[in-house]
Amino acid sequence: MTHWELEPIIAVLSVAVPFIAFVWEFAIVRRKRLGYRVQMDTPATSPAHPANAAALAQLHENGRPLHDPSFVLLRVENAGWTEIVSGDYLADDHDRAGIRVTFPGRRVVDVALSETSQDELADFFFTDEGGHTTTAAGFGIGNEKDAGLVRLPKVKLNPRAYYKVLVVLERQEGNVRKEFDDPSFRADVSGRHNRWIDRLAKVRLDRTESHTFASRPALVGIGLLVAAVLAQSGLILFRDDSRPPLDCVGGTLYLHGSTAFAPSVTAAAARYEEQCRGVKARIPIGDSTFQGSAEGVGELEAAGRAVDLSRVPGLGTHLAFTDGYAEGSHPQVLPRPIAYSLYTLIVNKDVGVRDLSLRQIRDIYARKITDWSRVGGPPMPIQLVNRHPGSGTRTALVNRVLQADMPNATVNDCAALEPGTAGVCEVGSTQRLLEKVAATPGALGYSEVSNAAKDSRILKVHIDHDPATLAGVEDGGYPYWQTEYAYTYGELPADSIGAAFLRYLTDQEGKDILREHGNRPCAETEYPLECEPR
């Protein structure tokens, strides 16, 4: 039997065993449970007793000194959760004794009721006849033949009720043992019941010491539970993970597209590849894998035209990820929403500006404001670092925040920006933009949030006091976000690695990875096919 077959069995046992133990211990065993304790069993004095203990050593019975006297204090209690009545003691109706206690090697001299939890319990031990209190039937000591016997009556006990009796004894002739044997208890208390639970849960007489944790069946159940947990832990630790999880498909998958969404996708791809190594799933990721949303769709179309996947089973599949819908006409590719992502404006930390109004942002990109001193910053020219046209991050800023075109670049290379003069440059990837903003005094750019959080030389900018959070987007206050789409060349075969990876991203563990990178998976939105905050 394999580990995978054993795990559900052990999981079921891990639940069933403690449940059965609980039911047994508290619903059956402890339903009717008559308990007893020997709270004291001590000789009157030691062999080297002091002189002032002579009175104990010289106890008498009818003038005869007792031989090696001793005292025993017994406690009898209802340790269950239902009452015990006289009918629960299985004995002849004429026999008023319910419990018999025998003291081997000793003779009982006398017995006395010493304490009760309720005054009414004394009525089972004594009766009042004509103004004289006498010992009730069923309570007393044995005859000459049963000299070591104490009889206790059929006492009705409510839950947690108890009584105590003190027994005075002496050593029997011929007993030369140094220590006395423990007293033995005998009680015919199985009861006469009709209901099935009463027949199953017959009254038991058990030793109930104060430190008792549970009954033997319960301890066995706990032991089995511990064994089940250890076994399941061992299976997990030594499990062979070569068997692929749900929906693993072998082959090679090539990913293209958004540099902003790339960290989320590559993290999910690495995890999928790790889980599916048993079927040799490969998702090669390199420096040239993600070049931008527009470039990614172009690479997908080129790959689709070169190979008709429907006629070549098992060949690698291509996917392209874009920030928003791909611009232009692409009749042969199909979009599928995956998540919506957060974006943020970022500035070089020397700027020190952490909040801009929507009006200020629009004026900066319209070149109406070109110095940071105009918006609460130091006297420093604003250097705009933009993405190339076709970038999804740039398109989202234009459509959702600026609602106007981007300014044209003033230099061909960001390295040519002149210090002390406001300018505009463009770069090809999110990573390149982050590097330029971090290295350029007065720089302003934009990025996916999780990427921007990685560089301490960069500050994220609030918009109208709203930080870049999913809650802000969903409340309608934060405007800079975009839906991420996965594009395929036509309909993918259901058994292809591309289709399997998309299912992983949208319906399986991939959702958690997207969420960890600050995205909201479409499956968690009200309308997954639209994948927009409401």
Side-chain angles (χ1 to χ4, degrees):
M1 185 177 290
T2 66
H3 289 172
W4 289 87
E5 294 170 332
L6 282 174
E7 282 190 358
I9 296 175
I10 294 175
V12 170
L13 288 175
S14 299
V15 174
V17 167
F19 177 76
I20 293 172
F22 175 85
V23 171
W24 177 265
E25 178 69 13
F26 294 100
I28 297 178
V29 172
R30 289 196 179 177
R31 184 172 184 275
K32 283 187 179 292
R33 190 181 189 195
L34 186 62
Y36 69 90
R37 307 184 196 181
V38 179
Q39 293 192 311
M40 179 182 70
D41 188 349
T42 181
T45 62
S46 70
H49 65 273
N52 61 4
L56 292 176
Q58 297 176 14
L59 291 174
H60 290 73
E61 179 189 27
N62 298 325
R64 179 184 64 84
L66 298 183
H67 175 50
D68 194 4
S70 58
F71 302 100
V72 175
L73 181 64
L74 304 177
R75 173 186 170 118
V76 177
E77 59 194 341
N78 183 348
W81 53 273
T82 60
E83 67 176 1
I84 294 174
V85 298
S86 60
D88 289 321
Y89 298 86
L90 183 60
D92 188 273
D93 291 339
H94 300 291
D95 186 355
R96 304 299 299 275
I99 302 175
R100 288 171 169 78
V101 187
T102 303
F103 298 86
R106 287 185 279 185
R107 186 181 75 84
V108 178
V109 178
D110 202 357
V111 60
L113 180 67
S114 64
E115 182 182 343
T116 60
S117 59
Q118 301 168 255
D119 293 340
E120 291 77 9
L121 295 183
D123 294 340
F124 290 92
F125 295 85
F126 305 103
T127 60
D128 190 356
E129 297 179 358
H132 298 283
T133 301
T134 61
T135 302
F139 178 48
I141 63 177
N143 53 29
E144 212 174 298
K145 182 179 179 182
D146 296 320
L149 176 67
V150 169
R151 291 178 290 108
L152 301 177
K154 298 176 181 178
V155 180
K156 179 179 178 180
L157 294 171
N158 292 322
R160 294 183 298 277
Y162 68 89
Y163 63 86
K164 298 180 182 180
V165 294
L166 180 65
V167 186
V168 181
L169 307 106
E170 70 172 345
R171 183 184 294 272
Q172 285 186 336
E173 293 183 8
N175 181 12
V176 296
R177 297 187 59 180
K178 183 177 180 181
E179 296 182 353
F180 297 121
D181 291 334
D182 291 335
S184 63
F185 285 71
R186 183 172 66 86
D188 295 324
V189 287
S190 59
R192 295 185 287 270
H193 309 289
N194 295 318
R195 292 185 302 169
W196 68 269
I197 191 169
D198 287 330
R199 292 196 298 271
L200 181 62
K202 296 178 179 180
V203 181
R204 296 175 53 185
L205 180 68
D206 285 332
R207 189 181 186 96
T208 54
E209 301 296 346
S210 58
H211 62 269
T212 297
F213 172 67
S215 65
R216 183 175 298 177
L219 291 174
V220 172
I222 293 170
L224 290 174
L225 173 60
V226 172
V229 171
L230 292 176
Q232 193 166 30
S233 301
L235 289 176
I236 293 172
L237 289 174
F238 300 105
R239 180 172 61 197
D240 181 7
D241 287 329
S242 60
R243 176 172 176 168
L246 177 67
D247 225 8
C248 277
V249 175
T252 302
L253 176 64
Y254 299 95
L255 305 179
H256 315 277
S258 167
T259 60
F261 199 47
S264 303
V265 176
T266 54
R271 181 60 179 155
Y272 181 85
E273 194 174 31
E274 176 187 352
Q275 288 186 324
C276 297
R277 63 180 182 270
V279 295
K280 298 182 179 178
R282 293 185 62 250
I283 308 179
I285 304 295
D287 294 337
S288 61
T289 303
F290 294 89
Q291 294 295 317
S293 296
E295 293 83 353
V297 173
E299 291 171 342
L300 173 66
E301 290 176 315
R305 286 191 294 268
V307 179
D308 183 352
L309 296 180
S310 65
R311 291 192 288 117
V312 188
L315 192 63
T317 297
H318 292 256
L319 296 176
F321 294 89
T322 65
D323 308 319
Y325 282 114
E327 295 184 339
S329 177
H330 306 278
Q332 293 177 305
V333 298
L334 301 175
R336 176 176 180 173
I338 302 298
Y340 59 81
S341 297
L342 283 169
Y343 300 101
T344 182
L345 294 174
I346 55 174
V347 296
N348 182 281
K349 70 173 184 178
D350 293 336
V351 172
V353 173
R354 294 178 178 271
D355 186 87
L356 291 170
S357 69
L358 197 58
R359 182 74 266 162
Q360 289 172 330
I361 295 169
R362 290 172 176 173
D363 286 346
I364 289 173
Y365 278 92
R367 308 306 287 152
K368 295 179 181 179
I369 297 176
T370 58
D371 195 279
W372 286 112
S373 61
R374 298 273 307 277
V375 291
M380 182 183 296
I382 299 176
Q383 307 281 23
L384 294 181
V385 182
N386 288 332
R387 293 286 306 280
H388 290 315
S391 159
T393 315
R394 171 173 171 154
T395 301
L397 181 65
V398 168
N399 294 338
R400 298 192 180 276
V401 181
L402 303 181
Q403 298 180 353
D405 291 335
M406 282 282 190
N408 293 325
T410 59
V411 294
N412 293 328
D413 189 337
C414 287
L417 288 173
E418 295 183 14
T421 302
V424 182
C425 69
E426 294 178 351
V427 294
S429 69
T430 298
Q431 186 58 39
R432 185 67 176 153
L433 184 144
L434 293 170
E435 293 170 357
K436 282 298 179 183
V437 171
T440 305
L444 170 65
Y446 40 86
S447 165
E448 190 269 338
V449 168
S450 64
N451 292 327
K454 297 176 182 178
D455 198 323
S456 61
R457 299 172 296 170
I458 292 173
L459 299 178
K460 292 184 290 184
V461 179
H462 297 186
I463 299 177
D464 282 328
H465 308 297
D466 286 323
T469 64
L470 289 172
V473 170
E474 290 155 0
D475 291 342
Y478 188 79
Y480 194 14
W481 61 274
Q482 189 58 281
T483 302
E484 305 293 338
Y485 289 88
Y487 276 83
T488 64
Y489 191 83
E491 289 287 352
L492 293 182
D495 59 352
S496 68
I497 186 174
F501 183 65
L502 286 180
R503 289 192 291 270
Y504 178 75
L505 277 181
T506 56
D507 300 321
Q508 299 171 25
E509 186 181 341
K511 289 192 304 182
D512 299 330
I513 298 174
L514 296 182
R515 195 184 304 109
E516 289 171 4
H517 283 75
N519 306 289
R520 177 74 73 206
C522 292
E524 298 178 358
T525 64
E526 185 175 359
Y527 301 102
L529 294 180
E530 295 181 15
C531 198
E532 293 187 358
R534 293 288 177 181

